[in-house]
């Protein structure tokens, strides 16, 4: 049976302020979906809510992985169950080497029942696998010895997220602007890598403003989000329209959602 | 030749320690009070304890005379002790009206509860030393309750004129080497009442003397342990003559992790011109032990010192750590690793004193605190008027792992020269939840995430420590301590 991720009627608030107002989205493993929307429409919020960020309170609705509601699960349990988020803004962990971080992460995700203190995957196997994947992503091996995202350039952080995706092999991955901060060559490489790593094996939810990523990963479904709601759903042609012509049509077609989008952005500015 | 007993690979040590780790951490720390102290302790030591009671020497005038008579030391040393004992009589216990003791309350400390153990140490099982795992040593000392139980220096180093072993014995055998340095420039018995007590009563301890130009490439190891309620008055004296090189790893432990006791000690590091010393001190007494220590290094011209202090144990620690740079071009790096938990109080006062020109000092102290622990770090860079071209650095970072822990960080500068570069800073904060969330999104449990982040916090110091076994031991000691964080 194919794995499914189903988000239904999802409402999310931050500090009591509603951000998502009823999001429905269903995908199967092996599918690629695009999530598109203007700034402040709630794209990143959806990704963080899927992983269970403590500040993002789900006030209604459900997120189900293979029919099981994940809302009661910690982020750790969700990761071990096969969910992944490539962060729009990855977090630096000073003093923790990328390789050590990834070895621990990979062990936990591959052995969901592992208890703290139990064996990690053997160093030699891990090193070999990591080295292979880094070569594939054309990353310098030196990268593994650097501290997690500490002092990384924007582009390096995004490539590090892709490396983690490659190592952790989740069932479903939300890729939040994983192509931003990269130059043209790097975007192409990232797009190809993501296609290779995930397209067939995972369910991908791609958040992007650019065309390259979707060119290599044409979406089966395109979702358009505005003011915290999915206002339109279409095929790959919808994604093409949006990155070619922008959101003017959407904004004028859905004035109520647009008003809420503006309101959220203004609230953010006054904070 | 001795080897550290523990050569397990890193992962399985990690595994072992996490399996036993947190659950077995004594929550008795929280309930611990002074009067409970005697009640703690493994049954197997009870017998020793009761024998000891009859053999304890109180710190009073009558006992002091008897103590002096029993030691048969050179007259200069007896005189030194008498002067210190006199100073002890004239001084009061420090109290909170003294700037240094403003944040450190010792009203619960009572010297009358403690005495020096005169009975010969029995063969008890000592805790496993942490710093020397898997390395070949040039020599090792072990003391229990301030009495030497082992003192050994490899013949190949003895042949080259190196002296290493029990200071109490060596001081009579080699007074010409020791007298010029012992409690001269690097220890002031008049500094406070603890210094005076130590100056009068020190016993046991470790001497490392390395003659001119001798390079010792095997570390020495000094291990001091105490029984429940026991007393350690060990004195450490290191003398490196011109161009000599050596490494000394010293550590302390209690036979029982929640026991009481007292350490009142002194450390003197005399590093000659062009000499190079690496000194590591791991303080890991039980959580009922009072720890008072005056520690000072004196660096000659172009001397190098790497001094790593790890403060893990004790109920209350008050330490003065002082580096005096008295020869131009001297260079010191001080690494401080502190982890305080329960109701521990760790107070460290550092002084990097630039007495002459062109010296470099670099102090980095990192502290993690959990439960209701309290730390005080007070650092001072002092630059004398003639100490031009001084390069001084001082930093203290504190990581709070609970809301009821408290870290006071007081960096200070006192600069009287004009051509200097001195930087100092301190930070205190808790772990950013975003780091924990990010790690959890990668499958880490909250506790694994916190352990990793705390270890990462100390990594900058570990990166500076050039001795593998020390780096590993400190990493493990810290990871073992981190509990749930919320
Ligand atoms: N951590 C937060 N704290 C406060 N407001 C937030 C936070 N995260 C998101 N928001 C609000 O939610 C809205 C949507 O943000 P986000 O999901 O980041 O949008 P997008 O990724 O689509 O640009 C923003 O306008 C902002 O006001
Ligand atoms: Mg976003």
């Amino acid at each position: 049976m194919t794995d499914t991720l189903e988000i239904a009627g999802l409402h999310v608030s931050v500090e009591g302020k509603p951000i998502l107002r009823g999001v429905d989205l269903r995908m199967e493993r092996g599918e690629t979906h695009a999530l598109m929307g203007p700034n402040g429409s709630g794209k990143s919020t959806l990704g963080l809510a899927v992983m269970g960020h403590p500040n993002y309170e789900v006030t209604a609705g459900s997120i189900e992985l293979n029919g099981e509601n994940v809302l009661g699960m910690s982020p750790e349990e969700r990761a071990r169950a096969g969910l992944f988020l490539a962060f729009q803004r990855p977090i630096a962990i000073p003093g923790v080497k990328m390789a050590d971080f990834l070895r621990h992460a990979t062990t936990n995700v591959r052995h969901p029942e592992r208890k703290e203190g139990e064996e990690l995957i053997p160093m030699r196997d891990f090193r070999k696998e990591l080295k292979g994947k880094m070569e594939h992503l054309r990353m310098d091996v030196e990268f593994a010895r650097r501290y997690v995202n500490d002092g990384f350039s924007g582009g390096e952080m995004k490539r590090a997220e892709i490396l983690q995706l490659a190592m952790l092999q989740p069932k479903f991955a939300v890729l939040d602007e994983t192509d931003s901060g990269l130059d043209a060559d790097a975007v192409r490489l990232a797009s190809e890598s993501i296609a290779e790593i995930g397209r067939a094996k995972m369910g991908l939810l791609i958040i992007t403003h650019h065309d390259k990523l979707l060119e290599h990963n044409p979406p089966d479904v395109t979702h358009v989000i505005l003011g915290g709601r999915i206002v339109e759903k279409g095929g790959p042609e919808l994604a093409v329209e949006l990155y070619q012509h922008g959101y003017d049509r959407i904004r004028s077609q859905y004035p109520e959602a647009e008003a809420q989008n503006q309101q959220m952005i203004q609230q953010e500015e006054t904070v | 030749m001795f080897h550290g007993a523990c050569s397990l690979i890193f992962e399985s040590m990690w595994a072992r320690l996490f399996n036993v780790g947190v659950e077995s951490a004594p929550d008795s720390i929280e309930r611990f009070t002074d009067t409970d102290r005697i009640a703690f302790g493994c049954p197997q030591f009870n017998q020793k304890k009761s024998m000891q009671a009859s053999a304890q020497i109180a710190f009073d005038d009558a006992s002091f005379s008897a103590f002096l008579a029993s030691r048969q030391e050179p007259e200069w040393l007896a005189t030194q002790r008498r002067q210190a004992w006199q100073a002890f009589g004239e001084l009061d216990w420090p109290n909170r009206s003294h700037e240094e003791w403003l944040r450190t309350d010792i009203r619960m400390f009572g010297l009358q509860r403690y005495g020096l153990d005169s009975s010969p140490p029995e063969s008890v099982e000592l805790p496993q030393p942490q710093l020397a795992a898997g390395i070949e040593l040039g020599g090792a000392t072990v003391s229990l309750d301030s009495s030497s139980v082992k003192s050994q220096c490899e013949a190949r180093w003895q042949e080259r004129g190196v002296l290493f072993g029990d200071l109490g014995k060596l001081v009579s055998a080699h007074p010409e080497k020791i007298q010029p340095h012992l409690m001269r420039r690097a220890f002031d018995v008049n500094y406070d009442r603890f210094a005076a007590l130590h100056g009068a009563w020190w016993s046991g301890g470790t001497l490392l003397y390395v003659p001119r130009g001798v390079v010792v490439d095997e570390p020495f190891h000094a291990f001091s342990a105490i029984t429940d309620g026991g007393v350690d008055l060990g004195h450490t004296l290191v003398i490196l003559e011109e161009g000599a090189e050596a490494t000394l790893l010293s550590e302390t432990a209690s036979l029982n992790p929640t026991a009481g006791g007292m350490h009142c000690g002194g450390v003197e590091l005399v590093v000659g011109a062009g000499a190079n010393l690496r000194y590591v001190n791991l303080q890991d007494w039980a959580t009922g032990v009072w720890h008072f220590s005056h520690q000072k290094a004196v660096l000659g011209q172009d001397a190098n010192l790497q001094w790593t202090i790890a403060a893990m144990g004790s109920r209350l620690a008050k330490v003065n750590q002082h580096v005096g740079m008295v020869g131009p071009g001297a260079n010191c790096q001080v690494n401080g690793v502190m982890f305080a938990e329960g109701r521990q109080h760790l107070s460290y006062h550092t002084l990097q004193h630039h007495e002459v020109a062109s010296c470099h000092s670099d102090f980095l102290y990192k502290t993690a605190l959990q439960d209701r622990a309290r730390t005080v770090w007070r650092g001072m860079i002092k630059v004398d008027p003639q100490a031009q071209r001084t390069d001084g650095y001082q930093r203290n970072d504190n990581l709070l792992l609970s809301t009821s822990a408290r870290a006071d960080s007081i960096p200070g500068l006192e600069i009287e020269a004009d051509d200097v570069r001195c930087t100092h800073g301190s930070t205190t904060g808790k772990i950013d939840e975003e780091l924990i969330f990010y790690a959890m999104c990668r499958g880490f449990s909250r506790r694994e995430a916190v352990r990793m982040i705390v270890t990462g916090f100390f990594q900058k110091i570990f990166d500076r420590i050039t001795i593998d076994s020390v780096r590993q031991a400190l990493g493990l000691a810290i990871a073992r301590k981190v509990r749930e964080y919320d």
Side-chain angles (χ1 to χ4, degrees), chain A residues 44 88 176-177:
Chain A
S44 295
Q88 182 180 356
D176 194 353
E177 303 200 20

Side-chain angles (χ1 to χ4, degrees), chain A residues 105-120:
Chain A
T106 307
T107 308
N108 281 4
V109 169
R110 288 190 193 165
H111 305 279
E113 301 305 318
R114 177 182 177 270
K115 299 266 183 318
E116 183 175 8
E118 291 174 8
E119 292 290 310
L120 295 175

Side-chain angles (χ1 to χ4, degrees), chain A residues 24-61:
Chain A
D24 298 296
L25 194 156
R26 183 184 191 281
M27 59 193 298
E28 291 191 352
R29 193 169 183 179
E31 291 178 351
T32 297
H33 290 220
L35 178 63
M36 303 189 69
N39 275 341
S41 56
K43 303 181 297 293
S44 295
T45 299
L46 182 64
L48 292 165
V50 165
M51 294 313 294
H53 191 295
N55 296 352
Y56 291 71
E57 188 198 351
V58 174
T59 53

Side-chain angles (χ1 to χ4, degrees), chain A residues 6-11 23-25 58 60-64 69-71:
Chain A
E6 181 152 13
I7 298 166
L10 190 71
H11 286 249
V23 170
D24 298 296
L25 194 156
V58 174
S62 63
I63 303 173
E64 291 183 353
N69 201 336
V70 303
L71 292 180

Side-chain angles (χ1 to χ4, degrees), chain A residues 48 51-54 75-76 79-80 84-85 87 91-92 94-96 101 103-105 108-109 114 116-117 147 149 161 164 168, chain B residues 11-12 14-16 18-19 433-435 437-448 451-453 455-457 459-460 463:
Chain A
L48 292 165
M51 294 313 294
H53 191 295
E76 166 208 1
R80 294 186 190 204
F84 181 89
L85 168 67
F87 282 60
I91 308 291
V96 176
F101 181 75
R103 182 167 171 229
H104 211 127
N108 281 4
V109 169
R114 177 182 177 270
E116 183 175 8
Y147 299 147
N149 296 321
E161 294 290 291
Q164 297 184 52
L168 299 181
Chain B
E11 298 132 65
S12 55
W14 202 255
R16 237 177 8 149
F18 283 174
N19 285 339
E433 282 294 327
E434 295 298 326
L435 273 67
F437 174 67
Y438 185 75
M440 289 180 79
C441 281
R442 301 302 183 239
F444 286 72
S445 70
R446 190 177 171 84
R447 197 162 72 191
E448 287 174 314
R451 277 192 215 281
M452 175 186 68
I453 293 162
T455 308
F457 168 77
Q459 190 60 43
K460 200 167 174 185
D463 285 346

Side-chain angles (χ1 to χ4, degrees), chain B residues 302-324:
Chain B
D302 297 320
N304 264 301
L305 169 68
Q306 185 192 58
W307 186 348
T308 299
I309 271 201
M312 304 278 169
S314 81
R315 164 197 180 132
L316 178 146
K318 166 70 169 61
V319 174
N320 291 81
Q321 186 191 22
H322 179 167
V323 177

Side-chain angles (χ1 to χ4, degrees), chain B residues 96 99 101-105 345 374 376 378 408 410:
Chain B
R96 293 175 95 165
E99 167 64 23
W101 296 84
L102 199 58
R103 297 164 186 84
T104 302
D105 186 351
H345 179 112
R374 172 98 193 258
V376 179
R378 191 164 163 272
D408 289 322
I410 310 129

